[in-house]
Amino acid sequence: KSITSMEVAGFPVETTMGISVAAFFEGSEFTPAGTVQCNNNILDMNPNNSYTFVPGVTDPTGIDFSGGVNWSVSGGNGFSNFSENVTAIAFPTLGAVTSGETVSLGGYTLSTDNVSGADSVLFIVGDVTKTLGGNATSCTFSADELSNLSAGAGVVQVAAYTYYSNNIGGKEIYFGNEAVQSKIVNYE
């Protein structure tokens, strides 16, 4: 679930979109595994052989996860066909990003007001990432860590996720649910 919070005419507005991603590895390379579906939505195979479903004009909120997460893979390249109803884990709960809209490239603390039900939390400023434990609600980035970013508009994100694995056809398959809060910011 991708959640974007912003202010419109002085009022907070939150938009949630259902997105799916899948990747199958042979060594260190992505490999096709046939047709991949999440909740009956066919994912597009990308040029690097990963799979994504991104909301579009006809379905602006994307996949509806209110009834759970159900995967179906037709199989190929050594991967068996399988279906998996992801009931062992729920989506983590994640509050809005509470950090300011100005990111000082001299150092910045990215925070959210609430995280629960997560195995880990990923904090992202531009292309800089840090992963902390499942109860972390803030993360500080040093000037050195932010040194490759340039002044201007950007985005910060907090992603809480949980996962489990299942051996299917001799391959370890990981299933994860993630909630992501994004905020548009200005790097200075």
Side-chain angles (χ1 to χ4, degrees), residues 89-140:
I89 57 175
F91 279 93
T93 301
L94 178 63
V97 173
T98 55
S99 307
E101 293 177 7
T102 300
V103 173
S104 168
L105 297 179
Y108 180 72
T109 298
L110 177 56
S111 58
T112 180
D113 58 1
N114 170 352
V115 175
S116 64
D119 293 323
S120 298
V121 183
L122 184 63
F123 293 86
I124 306 164
V125 178
D127 61 356
V128 182
T129 64
K130 287 186 175 183
T131 303
L132 300 179
N135 60 352
T137 57
S138 68
C139 181
T140 299

mmCIF file of all heavy atoms in Angstrom, residues 89-140:
data_model
loop_
_atom_site.group_PDB
_atom_site.id
_atom_site.type_symbol
_atom_site.label_atom_id
_atom_site.label_comp_id
_atom_site.label_asym_id
_atom_site.label_seq_id
_atom_site.Cartn_x
_atom_site.Cartn_y
_atom_site.Cartn_z
ATOM 1 N N ILE A 89 0.278 -13.020 7.559
ATOM 2 C CA ILE A 89 0.713 -11.680 7.952
ATOM 3 C C ILE A 89 -0.306 -10.647 7.490
ATOM 4 O O ILE A 89 -0.992 -10.839 6.492
ATOM 5 C CB ILE A 89 2.103 -11.342 7.380
ATOM 6 C CG1 ILE A 89 2.107 -11.481 5.844
ATOM 7 C CG2 ILE A 89 3.184 -12.189 8.021
ATOM 8 C CD1 ILE A 89 3.390 -11.049 5.165
ATOM 9 N N ALA A 90 -0.388 -9.564 8.222
ATOM 10 C CA ALA A 90 -1.252 -8.442 7.849
ATOM 11 C C ALA A 90 -0.370 -7.290 7.369
ATOM 12 O O ALA A 90 0.853 -7.335 7.488
ATOM 13 C CB ALA A 90 -2.077 -8.004 9.056
ATOM 14 N N PHE A 91 -0.985 -6.262 6.836
ATOM 15 C CA PHE A 91 -0.232 -5.058 6.505
ATOM 16 C C PHE A 91 0.116 -4.341 7.799
ATOM 17 O O PHE A 91 -0.724 -4.205 8.681
ATOM 18 C CB PHE A 91 -1.062 -4.120 5.624
ATOM 19 C CG PHE A 91 -1.057 -4.496 4.174
ATOM 20 C CD1 PHE A 91 -2.055 -5.298 3.657
ATOM 21 C CD2 PHE A 91 -0.061 -4.054 3.324
ATOM 22 C CE1 PHE A 91 -2.065 -5.664 2.320
ATOM 23 C CE2 PHE A 91 -0.056 -4.406 1.981
ATOM 24 C CZ PHE A 91 -1.063 -5.211 1.485
ATOM 25 N N PRO A 92 1.348 -3.869 7.931
ATOM 26 C CA PRO A 92 1.690 -3.077 9.111
ATOM 27 C C PRO A 92 0.870 -1.787 9.134
ATOM 28 O O PRO A 92 0.402 -1.319 8.094
ATOM 29 C CB PRO A 92 3.171 -2.748 8.916
ATOM 30 C CG PRO A 92 3.663 -3.721 7.911
ATOM 31 C CD PRO A 92 2.488 -4.050 7.048
ATOM 32 N N THR A 93 0.722 -1.226 10.316
ATOM 33 C CA THR A 93 0.090 0.075 10.468
ATOM 34 C C THR A 93 1.195 1.119 10.499
ATOM 35 O O THR A 93 2.198 0.947 11.196
ATOM 36 C CB THR A 93 -0.726 0.128 11.774
ATOM 37 O OG1 THR A 93 -1.708 -0.906 11.733
ATOM 38 C CG2 THR A 93 -1.399 1.463 11.944
ATOM 39 N N LEU A 94 1.005 2.187 9.744
ATOM 40 C CA LEU A 94 2.031 3.210 9.613
ATOM 41 C C LEU A 94 1.383 4.579 9.566
ATOM 42 O O LEU A 94 0.508 4.824 8.739
ATOM 43 C CB LEU A 94 2.835 2.958 8.331
ATOM 44 C CG LEU A 94 3.931 3.930 7.965
ATOM 45 C CD1 LEU A 94 5.030 3.927 9.024
ATOM 46 C CD2 LEU A 94 4.514 3.575 6.609
ATOM 47 N N GLY A 95 1.808 5.463 10.458
ATOM 48 C CA GLY A 95 1.281 6.822 10.475
ATOM 49 C C GLY A 95 1.953 7.693 9.431
ATOM 50 O O GLY A 95 2.937 7.306 8.797
ATOM 51 N N ALA A 96 1.434 8.885 9.277
ATOM 52 C CA ALA A 96 1.966 9.841 8.308
ATOM 53 C C ALA A 96 3.377 10.279 8.690
ATOM 54 O O ALA A 96 3.776 10.206 9.853
ATOM 55 C CB ALA A 96 1.058 11.064 8.231
ATOM 56 N N VAL A 97 4.128 10.728 7.697
ATOM 57 C CA VAL A 97 5.451 11.298 7.940
ATOM 58 C C VAL A 97 5.253 12.608 8.695
ATOM 59 O O VAL A 97 4.494 13.478 8.262
ATOM 60 C CB VAL A 97 6.207 11.540 6.611
ATOM 61 C CG1 VAL A 97 7.505 12.296 6.849
ATOM 62 C CG2 VAL A 97 6.467 10.220 5.899
ATOM 63 N N THR A 98 5.914 12.743 9.841
ATOM 64 C CA THR A 98 5.744 13.936 10.675
ATOM 65 C C THR A 98 6.915 14.903 10.569
ATOM 66 O O THR A 98 6.858 15.994 11.132
ATOM 67 C CB THR A 98 5.543 13.533 12.152
ATOM 68 O OG1 THR A 98 6.635 12.719 12.561
ATOM 69 C CG2 THR A 98 4.228 12.778 12.327
ATOM 70 N N SER A 99 7.971 14.525 9.875
ATOM 71 C CA SER A 99 9.128 15.410 9.694
ATOM 72 C C SER A 99 8.734 16.602 8.842
ATOM 73 O O SER A 99 7.787 16.542 8.060
ATOM 74 C CB SER A 99 10.252 14.663 8.981
ATOM 75 O OG SER A 99 10.545 13.468 9.637
ATOM 76 N N GLY A 100 9.527 17.651 8.950
ATOM 77 C CA GLY A 100 9.266 18.863 8.185
ATOM 78 C C GLY A 100 9.410 18.676 6.693
ATOM 79 O O GLY A 100 10.004 17.705 6.223
ATOM 80 N N GLU A 101 8.880 19.632 5.954
ATOM 81 C CA GLU A 101 8.916 19.588 4.494
ATOM 82 C C GLU A 101 10.232 20.091 3.929
ATOM 83 O O GLU A 101 10.452 20.027 2.726
ATOM 84 C CB GLU A 101 7.749 20.388 3.920
ATOM 85 C CG GLU A 101 6.417 19.748 4.235
ATOM 86 C CD GLU A 101 5.235 20.557 3.742
ATOM 87 O OE1 GLU A 101 5.432 21.563 3.027
ATOM 88 O OE2 GLU A 101 4.102 20.181 4.074
ATOM 89 N N THR A 102 11.103 20.601 4.795
ATOM 90 C CA THR A 102 12.425 21.031 4.366
ATOM 91 C C THR A 102 13.452 20.035 4.886
ATOM 92 O O THR A 102 13.539 19.794 6.087
ATOM 93 C CB THR A 102 12.748 22.439 4.898
ATOM 94 O OG1 THR A 102 11.767 23.355 4.406
ATOM 95 C CG2 THR A 102 14.128 22.882 4.456
ATOM 96 N N VAL A 103 14.208 19.445 3.971
ATOM 97 C CA VAL A 103 15.248 18.489 4.322
ATOM 98 C C VAL A 103 16.583 19.218 4.255
ATOM 99 O O VAL A 103 17.019 19.618 3.173
ATOM 100 C CB VAL A 103 15.257 17.281 3.358
ATOM 101 C CG1 VAL A 103 16.450 16.377 3.642
ATOM 102 C CG2 VAL A 103 13.954 16.520 3.456
ATOM 103 N N SER A 104 17.217 19.401 5.395
ATOM 104 C CA SER A 104 18.541 20.010 5.418
ATOM 105 C C SER A 104 19.555 18.957 4.989
ATOM 106 O O SER A 104 19.644 17.883 5.596
ATOM 107 C CB SER A 104 18.878 20.501 6.824
ATOM 108 O OG SER A 104 20.257 20.839 6.882
ATOM 109 N N LEU A 105 20.313 19.263 3.945
ATOM 110 C CA LEU A 105 21.341 18.336 3.485
ATOM 111 C C LEU A 105 22.508 18.271 4.469
ATOM 112 O O LEU A 105 23.399 17.445 4.326
ATOM 113 C CB LEU A 105 21.809 18.719 2.078
ATOM 114 C CG LEU A 105 20.717 18.641 0.999
ATOM 115 C CD1 LEU A 105 21.266 19.063 -0.356
ATOM 116 C CD2 LEU A 105 20.109 17.245 0.925
ATOM 117 N N GLY A 106 22.455 19.102 5.507
ATOM 118 C CA GLY A 106 23.437 19.065 6.578
ATOM 119 C C GLY A 106 23.091 18.043 7.645
ATOM 120 O O GLY A 106 23.846 17.813 8.581
ATOM 121 N N GLY A 107 21.928 17.401 7.508
ATOM 122 C CA GLY A 107 21.455 16.394 8.457
ATOM 123 C C GLY A 107 19.955 16.501 8.609
ATOM 124 O O GLY A 107 19.396 17.601 8.592
ATOM 125 N N TYR A 108 19.289 15.367 8.712
ATOM 126 C CA TYR A 108 17.818 15.354 8.722
ATOM 127 C C TYR A 108 17.335 14.143 9.489
ATOM 128 O O TYR A 108 17.898 13.045 9.363
ATOM 129 C CB TYR A 108 17.307 15.307 7.285
ATOM 130 C CG TYR A 108 15.807 15.282 7.111
ATOM 131 C CD1 TYR A 108 15.037 16.403 7.353
ATOM 132 C CD2 TYR A 108 15.170 14.126 6.667
ATOM 133 C CE1 TYR A 108 13.658 16.387 7.171
ATOM 134 C CE2 TYR A 108 13.792 14.096 6.477
ATOM 135 C CZ TYR A 108 13.042 15.233 6.732
ATOM 136 O OH TYR A 108 11.678 15.209 6.546
ATOM 137 N N THR A 109 16.283 14.340 10.278
ATOM 138 C CA THR A 109 15.643 13.220 10.959
ATOM 139 C C THR A 109 14.282 12.985 10.331
ATOM 140 O O THR A 109 13.435 13.883 10.323
ATOM 141 C CB THR A 109 15.502 13.485 12.471
ATOM 142 O OG1 THR A 109 16.810 13.637 13.028
ATOM 143 C CG2 THR A 109 14.799 12.327 13.169
ATOM 144 N N LEU A 110 14.100 11.811 9.782
ATOM 145 C CA LEU A 110 12.846 11.400 9.157
ATOM 146 C C LEU A 110 12.039 10.630 10.187
ATOM 147 O O LEU A 110 12.550 9.712 10.821
ATOM 148 C CB LEU A 110 13.146 10.526 7.935
ATOM 149 C CG LEU A 110 11.971 9.922 7.175
ATOM 150 C CD1 LEU A 110 10.987 10.983 6.712
ATOM 151 C CD2 LEU A 110 12.495 9.121 5.981
ATOM 152 N N SER A 111 10.780 11.024 10.384
ATOM 153 C CA SER A 111 9.985 10.376 11.429
ATOM 154 C C SER A 111 8.529 10.204 11.009
ATOM 155 O O SER A 111 8.031 10.871 10.111
ATOM 156 C CB SER A 111 10.065 11.172 12.728
ATOM 157 O OG SER A 111 9.614 12.492 12.529
ATOM 158 N N THR A 112 7.888 9.286 11.713
ATOM 159 C CA THR A 112 6.459 9.028 11.571
ATOM 160 C C THR A 112 5.891 8.938 12.980
ATOM 161 O O THR A 112 6.628 8.684 13.934
ATOM 162 C CB THR A 112 6.195 7.727 10.783
ATOM 163 O OG1 THR A 112 4.785 7.519 10.682
ATOM 164 C CG2 THR A 112 6.820 6.521 11.446
ATOM 165 N N ASP A 113 4.592 9.124 13.114
ATOM 166 C CA ASP A 113 4.012 9.130 14.457
ATOM 167 C C ASP A 113 3.634 7.753 14.970
ATOM 168 O O ASP A 113 3.337 7.591 16.141
ATOM 169 C CB ASP A 113 2.815 10.076 14.531
ATOM 170 C CG ASP A 113 1.710 9.740 13.549
ATOM 171 O OD1 ASP A 113 1.844 8.758 12.795
ATOM 172 O OD2 ASP A 113 0.701 10.463 13.526
ATOM 173 N N ASN A 114 3.696 6.706 14.094
ATOM 174 C CA ASN A 114 3.204 5.409 14.538
ATOM 175 C C ASN A 114 3.664 4.304 13.598
ATOM 176 O O ASN A 114 3.546 4.435 12.389
ATOM 177 C CB ASN A 114 1.667 5.494 14.572
ATOM 178 C CG ASN A 114 0.969 4.171 14.775
ATOM 179 O OD1 ASN A 114 1.566 3.112 14.755
ATOM 180 N ND2 ASN A 114 -0.314 4.236 14.966
ATOM 181 N N VAL A 115 4.191 3.224 14.170
ATOM 182 C CA VAL A 115 4.494 2.000 13.421
ATOM 183 C C VAL A 115 4.089 0.828 14.302
ATOM 184 O O VAL A 115 4.452 0.776 15.471
ATOM 185 C CB VAL A 115 5.998 1.864 13.096
ATOM 186 C CG1 VAL A 115 6.278 0.525 12.426
ATOM 187 C CG2 VAL A 115 6.486 3.004 12.226
ATOM 188 N N SER A 116 3.319 -0.098 13.752
ATOM 189 C CA SER A 116 3.014 -1.326 14.497
ATOM 190 C C SER A 116 2.825 -2.481 13.525
ATOM 191 O O SER A 116 2.449 -2.286 12.374
ATOM 192 C CB SER A 116 1.768 -1.151 15.375
ATOM 193 O OG SER A 116 0.623 -0.929 14.590
ATOM 194 N N GLY A 117 3.126 -3.688 14.010
ATOM 195 C CA GLY A 117 2.955 -4.892 13.205
ATOM 196 C C GLY A 117 3.985 -5.069 12.116
ATOM 197 O O GLY A 117 3.755 -5.795 11.148
ATOM 198 N N ALA A 118 5.166 -4.430 12.250
ATOM 199 C CA ALA A 118 6.199 -4.520 11.213
ATOM 200 C C ALA A 118 7.366 -5.376 11.689
ATOM 201 O O ALA A 118 7.673 -5.425 12.874
ATOM 202 C CB ALA A 118 6.702 -3.130 10.845
ATOM 203 N N ASP A 119 8.020 -6.058 10.748
ATOM 204 C CA ASP A 119 9.277 -6.744 11.029
ATOM 205 C C ASP A 119 10.435 -5.753 10.964
ATOM 206 O O ASP A 119 11.371 -5.828 11.746
ATOM 207 C CB ASP A 119 9.527 -7.866 10.020
ATOM 208 C CG ASP A 119 8.537 -9.003 10.158
ATOM 209 O OD1 ASP A 119 8.149 -9.323 11.297
ATOM 210 O OD2 ASP A 119 8.144 -9.565 9.120
ATOM 211 N N SER A 120 10.379 -4.835 9.996
ATOM 212 C CA SER A 120 11.419 -3.828 9.790
ATOM 213 C C SER A 120 10.786 -2.565 9.232
ATOM 214 O O SER A 120 9.678 -2.599 8.690
ATOM 215 C CB SER A 120 12.479 -4.324 8.806
ATOM 216 O OG SER A 120 13.126 -5.466 9.297
ATOM 217 N N VAL A 121 11.522 -1.456 9.364
ATOM 218 C CA VAL A 121 11.068 -0.176 8.828
ATOM 219 C C VAL A 121 12.201 0.397 7.991
ATOM 220 O O VAL A 121 13.346 0.498 8.442
ATOM 221 C CB VAL A 121 10.677 0.813 9.934
ATOM 222 C CG1 VAL A 121 10.144 2.115 9.333
ATOM 223 C CG2 VAL A 121 9.641 0.201 10.874
ATOM 224 N N LEU A 122 11.874 0.762 6.762
ATOM 225 C CA LEU A 122 12.825 1.337 5.824
ATOM 226 C C LEU A 122 12.588 2.844 5.775
ATOM 227 O O LEU A 122 11.459 3.289 5.541
ATOM 228 C CB LEU A 122 12.612 0.699 4.448
ATOM 229 C CG LEU A 122 13.536 1.069 3.311
ATOM 230 C CD1 LEU A 122 14.969 0.658 3.606
ATOM 231 C CD2 LEU A 122 13.064 0.390 2.031
ATOM 232 N N PHE A 123 13.647 3.628 6.000
ATOM 233 C CA PHE A 123 13.582 5.092 5.934
ATOM 234 C C PHE A 123 14.335 5.528 4.688
ATOM 235 O O PHE A 123 15.466 5.093 4.462
ATOM 236 C CB PHE A 123 14.198 5.710 7.189
ATOM 237 C CG PHE A 123 13.410 5.436 8.438
ATOM 238 C CD1 PHE A 123 13.600 4.270 9.164
ATOM 239 C CD2 PHE A 123 12.462 6.344 8.884
ATOM 240 C CE1 PHE A 123 12.867 4.012 10.315
ATOM 241 C CE2 PHE A 123 11.719 6.093 10.030
ATOM 242 C CZ PHE A 123 11.918 4.931 10.750
ATOM 243 N N ILE A 124 13.703 6.384 3.867
ATOM 244 C CA ILE A 124 14.256 6.737 2.561
ATOM 245 C C ILE A 124 14.239 8.252 2.380
ATOM 246 O O ILE A 124 13.180 8.888 2.516
ATOM 247 C CB ILE A 124 13.440 6.086 1.428
ATOM 248 C CG1 ILE A 124 13.325 4.577 1.648
ATOM 249 C CG2 ILE A 124 14.044 6.404 0.068
ATOM 250 C CD1 ILE A 124 12.241 3.913 0.825
ATOM 251 N N VAL A 125 15.388 8.816 2.079
ATOM 252 C CA VAL A 125 15.503 10.232 1.704
ATOM 253 C C VAL A 125 16.155 10.234 0.331
ATOM 254 O O VAL A 125 17.335 9.896 0.198
ATOM 255 C CB VAL A 125 16.349 11.035 2.715
ATOM 256 C CG1 VAL A 125 16.489 12.488 2.261
ATOM 257 C CG2 VAL A 125 15.736 10.971 4.115
ATOM 258 N N GLY A 126 15.375 10.585 -0.700
ATOM 259 C CA GLY A 126 15.885 10.507 -2.068
ATOM 260 C C GLY A 126 16.266 9.083 -2.382
ATOM 261 O O GLY A 126 15.433 8.182 -2.309
ATOM 262 N N ASP A 127 17.542 8.843 -2.689
ATOM 263 C CA ASP A 127 17.999 7.476 -2.969
ATOM 264 C C ASP A 127 18.835 6.912 -1.814
ATOM 265 O O ASP A 127 19.513 5.898 -1.970
ATOM 266 C CB ASP A 127 18.781 7.428 -4.280
ATOM 267 C CG ASP A 127 20.037 8.295 -4.263
ATOM 268 O OD1 ASP A 127 20.282 9.001 -3.255
ATOM 269 O OD2 ASP A 127 20.781 8.278 -5.262
ATOM 270 N N VAL A 128 18.758 7.547 -0.648
ATOM 271 C CA VAL A 128 19.496 7.091 0.533
ATOM 272 C C VAL A 128 18.536 6.315 1.432
ATOM 273 O O VAL A 128 17.459 6.814 1.766
ATOM 274 C CB VAL A 128 20.098 8.287 1.306
ATOM 275 C CG1 VAL A 128 20.906 7.805 2.503
ATOM 276 C CG2 VAL A 128 20.955 9.144 0.379
ATOM 277 N N THR A 129 18.912 5.096 1.789
ATOM 278 C CA THR A 129 18.015 4.244 2.582
ATOM 279 C C THR A 129 18.708 3.701 3.823
ATOM 280 O O THR A 129 19.927 3.481 3.821
ATOM 281 C CB THR A 129 17.511 3.047 1.753
ATOM 282 O OG1 THR A 129 18.623 2.220 1.409
ATOM 283 C CG2 THR A 129 16.791 3.491 0.495
ATOM 284 N N LYS A 130 17.900 3.506 4.867
ATOM 285 C CA LYS A 130 18.350 2.840 6.093
ATOM 286 C C LYS A 130 17.212 1.945 6.570
ATOM 287 O O LYS A 130 16.049 2.347 6.542
ATOM 288 C CB LYS A 130 18.662 3.846 7.192
ATOM 289 C CG LYS A 130 19.932 4.638 7.007
ATOM 290 C CD LYS A 130 20.166 5.478 8.262
ATOM 291 C CE LYS A 130 21.462 6.215 8.226
ATOM 292 N NZ LYS A 130 21.700 6.962 9.479
ATOM 293 N N THR A 131 17.550 0.745 7.024
ATOM 294 C CA THR A 131 16.556 -0.184 7.556
ATOM 295 C C THR A 131 16.774 -0.339 9.052
ATOM 296 O O THR A 131 17.884 -0.610 9.493
ATOM 297 C CB THR A 131 16.658 -1.554 6.867
ATOM 298 O OG1 THR A 131 16.495 -1.375 5.449
ATOM 299 C CG2 THR A 131 15.588 -2.506 7.383
ATOM 300 N N LEU A 132 15.690 -0.157 9.824
ATOM 301 C CA LEU A 132 15.732 -0.291 11.276
ATOM 302 C C LEU A 132 14.713 -1.331 11.723
ATOM 303 O O LEU A 132 13.923 -1.831 10.926
ATOM 304 C CB LEU A 132 15.454 1.060 11.941
ATOM 305 C CG LEU A 132 16.442 2.196 11.605
ATOM 306 C CD1 LEU A 132 16.024 3.484 12.304
ATOM 307 C CD2 LEU A 132 17.864 1.829 11.969
ATOM 308 N N GLY A 133 14.702 -1.625 13.009
ATOM 309 C CA GLY A 133 13.785 -2.600 13.577
ATOM 310 C C GLY A 133 12.324 -2.204 13.418
ATOM 311 O O GLY A 133 12.001 -1.043 13.140
ATOM 312 N N GLY A 134 11.441 -3.171 13.605
ATOM 313 C CA GLY A 134 10.012 -3.014 13.345
ATOM 314 C C GLY A 134 9.269 -2.023 14.208
ATOM 315 O O GLY A 134 8.119 -1.685 13.918
ATOM 316 N N ASN A 135 9.879 -1.516 15.271
ATOM 317 C CA ASN A 135 9.195 -0.524 16.103
ATOM 318 C C ASN A 135 9.793 0.872 15.953
ATOM 319 O O ASN A 135 9.407 1.796 16.664
ATOM 320 C CB ASN A 135 9.232 -0.950 17.583
ATOM 321 C CG ASN A 135 10.645 -1.096 18.102
ATOM 322 O OD1 ASN A 135 11.610 -1.029 17.341
ATOM 323 N ND2 ASN A 135 10.774 -1.312 19.399
ATOM 324 N N ALA A 136 10.734 1.060 15.026
ATOM 325 C CA ALA A 136 11.391 2.357 14.830
ATOM 326 C C ALA A 136 10.412 3.376 14.246
ATOM 327 O O ALA A 136 9.700 3.074 13.290
ATOM 328 C CB ALA A 136 12.592 2.204 13.915
ATOM 329 N N THR A 137 10.391 4.566 14.811
ATOM 330 C CA THR A 137 9.535 5.635 14.298
ATOM 331 C C THR A 137 10.340 6.824 13.784
ATOM 332 O O THR A 137 9.753 7.776 13.272
ATOM 333 C CB THR A 137 8.547 6.124 15.373
ATOM 334 O OG1 THR A 137 9.279 6.554 16.520
ATOM 335 C CG2 THR A 137 7.553 5.029 15.746
ATOM 336 N N SER A 138 11.675 6.779 13.912
ATOM 337 C CA SER A 138 12.489 7.860 13.357
ATOM 338 C C SER A 138 13.881 7.361 13.019
ATOM 339 O O SER A 138 14.349 6.339 13.543
ATOM 340 C CB SER A 138 12.574 9.042 14.330
ATOM 341 O OG SER A 138 13.322 8.691 15.467
ATOM 342 N N CYS A 139 14.538 8.107 12.131
ATOM 343 C CA CYS A 139 15.882 7.747 11.680
ATOM 344 C C CYS A 139 16.606 9.033 11.282
ATOM 345 O O CYS A 139 16.046 9.855 10.552
ATOM 346 C CB CYS A 139 15.786 6.797 10.485
ATOM 347 S SG CYS A 139 17.387 6.267 9.846
ATOM 348 N N THR A 140 17.821 9.192 11.762
ATOM 349 C CA THR A 140 18.603 10.384 11.451
ATOM 350 C C THR A 140 19.611 10.080 10.347
ATOM 351 O O THR A 140 20.302 9.060 10.386
ATOM 352 C CB THR A 140 19.324 10.897 12.713
ATOM 353 O OG1 THR A 140 18.336 11.235 13.688
ATOM 354 C CG2 THR A 140 20.165 12.121 12.401
#
